[in-house]
């Protein structure tokens, strides 16, 4: 009997020990160093830094690969012109050429009581300071060389951004002895306009970011679906409109032709203008044409979304079929911008070798290149100014002018004064700024029309009708890579431990060298076979996963750890937005590909969610997202596309987001800050935060807002959230699925109403006693 009792007791102890081990299999003493089904994580060093490096290498590969993929977009040169039209239309949209130009019959003379409009005469040609309407109240300004009714052709000659029309035309130094291209053309009987471009002068904006005029205007314009480049192309095309009317009036037996020429930034504007408008017979580019693979290094105002996916300068040349494109490999402008709130940038002159190589790419298209009346001038290292005499001579011949008189010296009537040039620039900057702000006020009506196809008659109808908008958001706003997602190849290691949870580092492969990384917190009372809800807790700018659960960071208050103490499984991902310019240049490298930083972050999160759903301790139907600050930005974008997220909580970020990005009337605007990567193309006409929330609906959505959070104002946050509330409560009839919690506090996790929201919508019982709330918010 004693032996039997001993055996029975031994069996009882064995069973109890087995159950105890199972119950505490994730506790420190029993938890495995590596999670079951994963490989050991043996990486050393800063894995977050390695993740940013991997994303950078991926983007550089994609940029390099884009060259070989561009021929897929192009049709034979002898194909009907309509077959090239889609490419040109995509280019117009990327440039932001969406505003209807104003028709006009005559230029306005620009003069004051001290500054006459007449600058010089050139025989019978009068040279005036002029302005012309472009769209709404926006005007172009510059010099008009008026050949009148005797005009033999028309030309627009565009200086670099840091050259005034007077300087470019040679009027600043009458003793220079060199004859400018505008003077050469006008001497031959061509009506010429020399526009003034917005300069690259640096200025403190609102006492904060040090921005060039061009970047300052571009920041707002970009969010509103326009670009600084596009604005100046529009000013040129308004001149083309006027010249087209004038040449129709003057043409008799002979056909009058039109040219657009430019140097440096002006050459870039000329190339784009010639590409999008077939009325331009001759396009001449000096000091610009070359390899644009490093466009992400160039000044921010040169950003054109998706440009390198379909175009380089060689491919732009293909659009000129049956028209003239002349390239002069002159020394171009050079510039270095170190940042100080603006985007660091480097502008270098294309070398003759680079120009030749781009020309070779152009000719590799064979039939298409043969259809273009192309001319590449030989490089002349002794030539220090653009538009050498032989360049001007060929331009005139392509205009059909073969009997041009020798160029004359203009007779100056007035010299350029600094006060006049400054006033003209100030007018030009102010007009575009006012236009941006008027557009900002109107764009919510554009978005309302854009979203009109949502069907709120039932939840089923809504979920069906929202999918086309999700596709637009994925493909046209966030951008995506056509790449297969890799196998998980999960690697884990136990790294942290408290009395209530055990923490693992986790890495997962995503695609082509890109991987996801984060921290998994497992409650110690997790039982064998139990599946629990997960909260993905996202850090903000320059953050780390550990910020959300270690050392009571003043913005996060260990909210991820507190949620793990409440029994949630928690995953805290490392997102890409850290290391300042290192991650900001990822955005700049993405834009030319038609993608964004979130084009990588979204697949990372999809892989995280997919992996979590395979884990035996996770209920894959109950995974929520909770992010602060930049993590709040993530909360608007990621769950909109990763629909496996059951709910989303946006903390310390929800805003009238388009206004925050584009306003030059509010102190909280990103126009004034160093976050130059933050601007997303065309959000103004598509998805503000209310529209992003519509992509999350009908899943639960919550906003956490501190009254003293400087990211915005209570009024604008409430204004935008009211649209969300109306959708959920009035249109869809699910008011319980959305809420906003206001609290007296700064830019921080509050962790009260949001915790209750998580318990309610992830169906996990809240503790009956005070536990697991951020201590400084209690």
């Amino acid at each position: 009997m004693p032996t039997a009792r001993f055996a029975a007791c031994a069996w009882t102890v064995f069973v109890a020990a087995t159950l105890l081990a199972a119950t505490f299999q994730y506790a420190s003493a029993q938890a495995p160093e590596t999670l079951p089904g994963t490989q050991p994580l043996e990486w050393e060093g800063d894995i977050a830094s390695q993740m940013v490096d991997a994303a950078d290498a991926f983007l550089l590969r994609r940029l390099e690969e884009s060259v070989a993929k561009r021929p897929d977009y192009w049709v034979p040169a002898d194909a009907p012109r309509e077959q090239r039209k889609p490419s040109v239309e995509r280019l117009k949209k990327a440039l932001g050429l969406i505003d209807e130009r104003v028709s006009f019959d005559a230029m306005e003379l620009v003069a004051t009581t001290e500054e006459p409009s007449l600058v010089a005469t050139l025989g019978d040609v009068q040279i005036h300071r002029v302005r012309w309407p472009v769209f709404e109240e926006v005007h172009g300004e510059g010099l008009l060389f008026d050949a009148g009714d005797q005009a033999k052709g028309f030309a627009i000659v565009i200086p670099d951004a840091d050259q005034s029309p007077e300087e470019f035309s040679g009027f600043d130094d009458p003793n220079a002895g060199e004859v400018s291209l505008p003077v050469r053309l006008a001497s031959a009987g061509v009506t010429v306009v020399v526009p003034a471009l917005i300069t690259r002068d640096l200025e403190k904006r609102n006492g904060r970011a040090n921005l060039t005029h061009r970047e300052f205007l571009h920041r707002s314009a970009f969010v509103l679906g326009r670009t600084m480049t596009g604005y100046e192309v529009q000013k040129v095309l308004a001149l083309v409109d006027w010249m087209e009317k004038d040449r129709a009036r003057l043409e008799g037996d002979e056909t009058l032709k039109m040219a657009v020429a430019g140097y440096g930034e002006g050459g870039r504007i000329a190339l784009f203008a010639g590409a999008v408008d077939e009325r331009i017979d001759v396009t001449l580019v000096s000091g610009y044409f070359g390899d644009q693979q490093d466009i992400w290094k160039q000044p921010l105002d040169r950003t054109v979304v998706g440009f390198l996916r379909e175009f380089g300068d060689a491919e732009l040349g293909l659009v000129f079929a049956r028209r003239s494109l002349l390239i002069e490999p002159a020394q171009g402008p050079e510039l270095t911008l170190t940042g100080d709130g603006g985007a660091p940038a480097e502008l270098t002159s294309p070398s003759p070798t680079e120009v030749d190589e781009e020309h070779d790419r152009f000719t590799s298209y064979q039939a298409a290149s043969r259809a273009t009346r192309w001319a590449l001038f030989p490089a002349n290292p002794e030539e220090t100014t653009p538009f050498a005499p032989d360049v001007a001579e060929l331009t005139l011949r392509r205009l059909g002018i073969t009997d041009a008189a020798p160029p004359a010296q203009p007779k100056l009537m007035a010299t350029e004064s600094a006060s006049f040039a400054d006033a003209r620039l100030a007018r030009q900057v102010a007009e575009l700024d006012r236009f941006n702000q008027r557009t900002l006020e109107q764009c919510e009506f554009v978005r309302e029309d854009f979203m009109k196809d949502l069907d709120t008659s039932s939840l089923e109808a809504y979920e069906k009708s929202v999918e086309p908008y999700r596709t637009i958001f994925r493909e046209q706003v966030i951008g995506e890579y056509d790449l297969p997602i890799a196998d998980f190849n999960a690697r884990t290691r136990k790294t942290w431990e408290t009395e209530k949870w055990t923490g693992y580092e986790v890495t997962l492969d995503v695609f082509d060298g890109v991987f996801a990384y984060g921290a998994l917190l497992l409650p110690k009372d997790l039982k064998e076979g139990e599946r629990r809800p997960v909260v993905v807790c996202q850090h903000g700018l320059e953050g780390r996963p550990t910020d959300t659960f270690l050392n009571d960071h003043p913005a996060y208050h260990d909210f991820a750890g507190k949620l793990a103490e409440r029994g949630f499984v928690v995953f805290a991902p490392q997102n890409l937005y850290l290391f300042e310019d290192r991650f900001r240049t990822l955005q700049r490298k993405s834009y030319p590909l038609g993608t964004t930083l979130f084009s990588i972050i979204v697949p990372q999160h999809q892989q995280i969610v997919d992996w979590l759903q395979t884990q035996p301790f996770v209920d894959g139907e109950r995974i929520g997202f909770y992010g602060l600050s930049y993590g709040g930005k993530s909360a608007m974008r990621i769950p909109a596309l990763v629909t496996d997220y059951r709910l989303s909580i946006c903390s310390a970020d929800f805003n009238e987001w388009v206004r925050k990005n584009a306003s030059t009337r509010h102190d909280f605007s990103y126009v004034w800050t160093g976050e130059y990567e933050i601007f997303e193309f065309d959000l103004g006409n598509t998805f503000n935060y209310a529209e992003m929330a519509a992509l999350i609906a009908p899943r639960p959505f919550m906003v956490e807002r501190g009254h003293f959070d400087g990211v915005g104002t209570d009024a604008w946050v409430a204004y935008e959230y009211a649209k969300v509330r109306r959708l959920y409560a009035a249109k869809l009839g699910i008011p319980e699925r959305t809420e906003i919690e206001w609290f007296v506090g700064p830019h921080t996790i509050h962790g009260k109403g949001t915790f209750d929201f998580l318990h309610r919508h992830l169906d996990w019982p809240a503790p009956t006693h005070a536990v697991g709330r951020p201590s400084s918010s209690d």
Side-chain angles (χ1 to χ4, degrees), residues 719-736:
Y719 177 83
E720 190 69 7
Y721 179 73
K723 302 174 186 179
V724 179
R725 175 70 185 179
R726 177 176 172 81
L727 172 65
Y728 275 79
K731 294 186 175 182
L732 295 177
I734 48 173
E736 72 283 355

Side-chain angles (χ1 to χ4, degrees), residues 239-249 258 279:
L239 290 171
V240 172
D241 297 339
W242 172 69
M243 290 179 172
E244 177 71 8
K245 292 168 65 175
D246 211 33
R247 74 174 174 180
R249 179 179 65 85
M258 189 186 311
R279 295 173 298 174

Side-chain angles (χ1 to χ4, degrees), residues 327-469:
I327 304 297
E328 182 186 38
Q331 173 69 34
E334 299 196 322
L335 174 76
T336 298
L337 297 172
T338 57
D340 190 20
E346 186 176 355
L347 189 60
T348 59
S349 174
S351 67
T353 299
E354 182 183 333
V355 177
D356 286 341
E357 289 175 349
E358 194 69 4
H359 173 255
D360 290 343
R361 280 207 322 108
F362 172 77
T363 57
S364 71
Y365 284 91
Q366 298 177 345
S369 63
R370 289 196 297 271
T372 301
R373 300 186 67 203
W374 173 282
L376 174 63
F377 293 93
N380 184 356
E382 297 180 0
E383 192 67 52
T384 58
T385 59
F387 306 125
D390 58 333
V391 176
E393 181 182 346
L394 181 58
T395 303
L396 286 169
R397 289 204 305 271
R398 293 291 175 89
L399 285 172
I401 300 172
T402 57
D403 57 348
Q409 282 291 343
K411 179 181 180 181
L412 295 184
M413 310 299 289
T415 57
E416 178 186 21
S417 70
S419 61
F420 181 87
D422 290 346
R424 177 173 56 200
L425 175 62
R427 286 193 299 272
Q428 293 279 285
V429 171
E431 281 187 352
L432 285 174
D433 179 40
R434 287 196 300 270
F435 175 76
N436 283 339
Q437 300 312 299
R438 285 196 303 274
T439 302
L440 173 60
E441 295 303 320
Q442 296 299 314
C443 65
E444 69 173 295
F445 303 108
V446 179
R447 292 194 302 274
E448 184 177 347
D449 183 67
F450 170 69
M451 300 293 289
K452 67 180 183 296
D453 292 330
L454 281 179
D455 185 348
T456 57
S457 61
S458 69
L459 292 182
E460 293 76 14
Y462 183 84
E463 290 179 316
K464 181 178 179 180
S465 67
V466 82
E467 284 307 311
Y469 289 102

Side-chain angles (χ1 to χ4, degrees), residues 504-551:
Y504 290 85
E505 290 178 88
V506 180
T507 66
L508 304 167
D509 290 350
V510 180
F511 48 57
D512 196 15
V514 173
F515 64 91
Y517 169 60
L520 176 69
L521 310 186
L522 297 177
K524 288 186 175 179
D525 62 352
L526 187 61
K527 297 177 176 59
E528 179 83 21
E530 183 183 17
R531 292 182 178 271
R532 291 195 184 181
V534 181
V535 182
V536 172
C537 295
Q538 189 59 66
H539 65 76
L541 181 66
E542 300 296 336
R544 304 284 186 137
T546 50
D547 292 335
T548 68
F549 59 83
L550 291 181
N551 303 319

